[in-house]
Amino acid sequence: MSSLPRRSLLKAAAVAGAAAQFSWALGRGEARAAAPVESVPAGERPATVGWLEPEGLGAAAGSTFGAAWPKGVHPDGQEFSLTRADGTAVPVQTWTTARWPDGSLKWTAHAVGPEAAGSERFTLAAGAPVAGAKTVSVTETDRRITVDTGTVRAVVRKDGGKLVESVTRDGVKIAGDGRLVLLRQSDLDDGDQGNEKWERFDGEISGAVVEQSGPVRAVVRIDGKHRKGSRSWLPFSVRLYFYAGSESFRMVHTITYDGDQNKDFVRGLGVRFTVPMRDAMYDRHVRIAGEGAGFLTEAVQGITGLRRDPGAAVRTAQVKGQKLPDPATWDQRVTTRMQYVPTWGDYTLSQLSADGFALRKRTKPGHGWIAAGGGRRASGFGYVGGVTGGLSFGLRDFWQKHPAQLDIRNAAGDEAEVTLWLWSPEAQPMDLRFYHDGMGQEAFPEQLEGLNITYEDYQPGFGTPYGIARTSELLFWANAATPAAADLVAQAEAVRVPPQLAVSPEDLVRARVFGGLFSPVDRSTPARAKIEDRLDYLFSYYKDQAEQRRWYGFWDYGDIMHTYDEDRHQWRYDIGGYAWDNSELSPDLWLWYAYLRSGRADIFRFAEAMTRHTGEVDVYHLGQWAGLGTRHGVQHFADSAKQQRISTAVYRRPYYFLTADERVGDLMHDLVDSDETFLVLDPIRKIRTEPYTPDRHALSIGFGTDWSGLAAAWLTEWERGGPKAAKAEARLRSTMETIAAQPNGFVQGTGLYDLDTGRFAVATEPVVGVSHLSAMFGLVEMCAELIDLVDLPAFKSAWLDYCRYFNAGKTEQAARYGKNFGTLLLFQGHSRQDAYAAAQLGDAKLAARAWAKFDKSDGYTSAMVWDKTPVQGSDALEPGYEHLWISTNTTALYGLAAIQNLALVGDHLPA
């Protein structure tokens, strides 16, 4: 039996995105899904909160989550209480992350500490929070910030090179000298390593601020650059998170590349701590996690396996990490010869690919390493210390973001040194050079010819990594003694999957956030069930492809590929604009809406990785293009199209509001002034036919991919109440008004924007400027939200007209606008605009067209055969695993977004 045709499959994921939003209208599906809670007055309904994964809090310090509230229900400043299923209260810290225009709470964030352990479900409701047995406190001096969780105390520096000066527990120093390390290599002489030159740079702090000070959660932000001598480069931003009562803390570490891609090769990038070693050599322990629950479990000086036996009680205690009995009680044939038992001071676990790690150890520098084991995928977790205390440490996404490495050094000395390498120095240097020489594409005509053959929009000097960033997450535990095996496993699991609390999909639907464009998963009829099954099918396809194709690595993890090569049975990873997707046609939105509807942990984690990647790696954070993202390509920064449609805050908003993640909040705030980038770069410079020079008072900005990105940043800043909220609100309202005032509204296509007034000039002549891409990068979501928030009937009318006429016949288009829209694509993806307009206007005929365009147009139609027949004799590296033989392209993702909106068509959906 044949499988899905060889079409563009990220036409599958745009179809999936449409699908994830289309379902909320199935036979008025929203009301049907929300019915169980509709009988309770809105102001009295609490939110249901549960763990994303069943393990609960585990060994983590705490969890922070977001909750959404209907407009007008909770006033600004409302307190909230959190209770377990049995009614007992849990300490919770609350702050506001967004407000409705009337000032009422829209999104709130909530932090819980270790006291939330042991429960699966909670209720969040208006009310005074209970005080915890322990609170986190913060004190400051001119040069230091001290955070005390009630269990551990950390001293953070505001200057110098030690980010974390010390970590103590019960007055005992567990770790200190927490610092950043960078190794730079100045050249790459391919094939000849004789010219390598390594330089060490150390993190130098430019400032540190307290962002939160308790009572449940404290956050400290530290900024700086890596310095050696007179040179400072590779800016870093580090946040430290502490929870009341916790013995651990979390680090979120971001670097932004500002080097010369041809000269500044990162050879190693790490976070380093020292750990005092106070105990006897045989009471010092090393624990390094392998894959799953597997561990290297050793003492610095082992007494097991010796020719002479110290005694079963002694051996058992050492394996458990407990203090050994007095040596006088041992077999003295061991005690008198302990000086001849080697001490192993150095350990290294290196994960240089997604498929293998190696572990080795040595006694001390100057002596040979011996192999100590290996495996496939390490957890990125370890411990060093002794019976009087030690440090556990872990790096999240260790193998997924290879090459990574864990080092323990000098465990047999007075102080051990622990380094978590975000980029392993044993790997090849980080090579960010552009991948080809331009092939003669010096001018626009040649560049357009290149675009026509490889789909790559090349321009000399534009394929630069200058300004891209990457964020990593680390966890540390200050242990009073060497943890038991079960505790170590729990700590390693908390590194691998940080516990996340989440409100239910029903609560999110009830709040009508994100424009109300979703409802919970509904399989109540065969048609609904079929749509849901296909959404699940396509998610599992992409999840499996990430594994089969090894879409992993420090810069790559979180992205997917754009288009499939049917002949090679391989994604077009090496062909111009067909390679890395870089958010093309909004797979980010497909995934987030799929999570909002389902509450599924696997979808959340996939979307989380994508948000981390696309917001950091695919976007510029420094330089002339700061605030712009890069179109899809062989390298994430390679394409010369630098645009708002990639950097748009619409992709980050769900993750931010669901988790209150400060780093993602920074990324969205940084976009507020990105309208200034249109002075620097014209997005359509290569295809303009009319004379145009960017001018501060007349910038050409499109009403689709450009304005939707700007609007997302402005809306987010406004509702968050950020420092530029007033400006953002004014920009939103003025651009909405002047888009609506255009002769053809959104169909006009573009306008001339004044940076000083924030308004578009109203054109004197009607123009038809419609592209199939205009609504593909968050415009639908932004318009739905803004229409719900801002009472501007002319804007709503202009948007509904665009929705009604995109999929209309050419004769109908010409009758309305004097000209048809020309050749268009993505009709299935645009069926959600039909559905939206049908629901808003109560138009049964338009609702029927929405279903027809969705079911039988140019994406995933009902005529296709959906199966997972393996390809036999495939050229893929893992033949036979390629279970969905279909050419994939992001256009399909947007068509799936149409399915998610299908609820709008009401009774016109077949049973």
Side-chain angles (χ1 to χ4, degrees), residues 8-14 16 537-548 551 560-562 571 587 590-591 606 860 883-884 887-890 892-893 896:
S8 174
L9 199 150
L10 271 156
K11 277 182 183 177
Y537 180 101
L538 287 161
F539 171 73
S540 69
Y541 173 77
Y542 276 96
K543 185 179 178 182
D544 290 346
Q545 284 296 287
E547 170 62 13
Q548 181 189 353
W551 291 340
I560 58 178
M561 283 281 168
H562 185 287
W571 292 81
W590 161 46
L591 293 169
F606 202 90
Y860 280 168
H883 60 270
L884 178 61
S887 165
T888 53
N889 179 298
T890 28
L893 285 175
L896 289 172

Side-chain angles (χ1 to χ4, degrees), residues 485-824:
D487 295 329
L488 288 165
V489 170
Q491 290 178 353
E493 180 63 16
V495 171
R496 191 183 70 82
V497 185
Q500 180 64 56
L501 283 169
V503 298
S504 69
E506 290 77 13
D507 289 320
L508 297 171
V509 169
R510 176 167 54 87
R512 289 194 57 80
V513 288
F514 305 126
L517 289 178
F518 60 96
S519 67
V521 170
D522 183 357
R523 287 188 164 85
S524 61
T525 69
R528 289 187 181 90
K530 187 174 184 180
I531 290 171
E532 302 291 358
D533 290 346
R534 291 186 177 181
L535 283 168
D536 290 350
Y537 180 101
L538 287 161
F539 171 73
S540 69
Y541 173 77
Y542 276 96
K543 185 179 178 182
D544 290 346
Q545 284 296 287
E547 170 62 13
Q548 181 189 353
R549 307 297 181 171
R550 302 304 189 268
W551 291 340
Y552 303 124
F554 183 82
W555 291 110
D556 297 334
Y557 178 58
D559 207 352
I560 58 178
M561 283 281 168
H562 185 287
T563 303
Y564 195 73
D565 186 333
E566 301 153 10
D567 298 312
R568 285 188 289 173
H569 301 302
Q570 173 63 279
W571 292 81
R572 302 185 201 178
Y573 72 97
D574 56 350
I575 303 178
Y578 292 111
W580 289 114
D581 188 61
N582 285 28
S583 294
E584 177 67 7
L585 297 176
S586 302
D588 319 59
L589 288 177
W590 161 46
L591 293 169
W592 279 122
Y593 276 99
Y595 168 74
L596 293 169
R597 301 181 60 244
S598 67
R600 283 175 50 179
D602 55 350
I603 296 176
F604 180 96
R605 297 302 183 185
F606 202 90
E608 177 184 36
M610 183 172 287
T611 300
R612 283 284 189 220
H613 169 89
T614 59
E616 303 274 7
V617 181
D618 300 343
V619 176
Y620 289 104
H621 310 276
L622 293 174
Q624 61 180 335
W625 300 322
L628 296 178
T630 302
R631 174 183 178 269
H632 40 102
V634 170
Q635 292 165 296
H636 299 287
F637 52 83
D639 204 271
S640 76
K642 314 296 185 184
Q643 297 183 351
Q644 291 280 329
R645 74 190 210 193
I646 306 302
S647 61
T648 175
V650 76
Y651 298 149
R652 328 290 170 224
R653 287 162 51 81
Y655 185 65
Y656 172 75
F657 289 123
L658 290 167
T659 65
D661 183 87
E662 281 81 3
R663 172 57 185 169
V664 172
D666 292 344
L667 297 180
M668 296 191 297
H669 172 71
D670 290 345
L671 297 172
V672 173
D673 293 324
S674 58
D675 49 357
E676 298 276 352
T677 60
F678 288 86
L679 275 173
V680 181
L681 191 66
D682 175 16
I684 59 171
R685 61 195 177 279
K686 295 186 180 181
I687 57 174
R688 281 200 185 277
T689 56
E690 75 283 3
Y692 171 72
T693 301
D695 180 274
R696 185 172 187 84
H697 302 292
L699 289 175
S700 178
I701 294 181
F703 299 155
T705 59
D706 296 336
W707 180 78
S708 63
L710 295 171
W714 294 334
L715 172 58
T716 307
E717 183 77 357
W718 174 28
E719 63 185 2
R720 288 176 68 191
K724 297 180 179 179
K727 173 185 175 180
E729 180 186 359
R731 288 286 194 263
L732 264 181
R733 293 182 182 275
S734 60
T735 53
M736 290 170 68
E737 290 170 3
T738 48
I739 289 173
Q742 302 298 326
N744 279 343
F746 275 96
V747 174
Q748 194 81 12
T750 61
L752 294 177
Y753 175 77
D754 189 318
L755 274 170
D756 292 338
T757 66
R759 300 178 67 84
F760 286 105
V762 178
T764 58
E765 297 293 333
V767 173
V768 171
V770 176
S771 166
H772 62 281
L773 293 179
S774 295
M776 294 290 143
F777 295 84
L779 183 64
V780 174
E781 290 72 22
M782 280 300 97
C783 287
E785 287 206 55
L786 292 172
I787 286 169
D788 191 47
L789 296 174
V790 180
D791 185 17
L792 190 59
F795 179 86
K796 179 177 180 179
S797 177
W799 176 241
L800 290 177
D801 266 7
Y802 187 89
C803 292
R804 290 168 60 197
Y805 285 98
F806 185 95
N807 273 341
K810 292 187 176 183
T811 300
E812 191 178 356
Q813 291 168 350
R816 169 64 178 83
Y817 292 102
K819 180 181 177 183
N820 67 53
F821 294 176
T823 301
L824 296 174

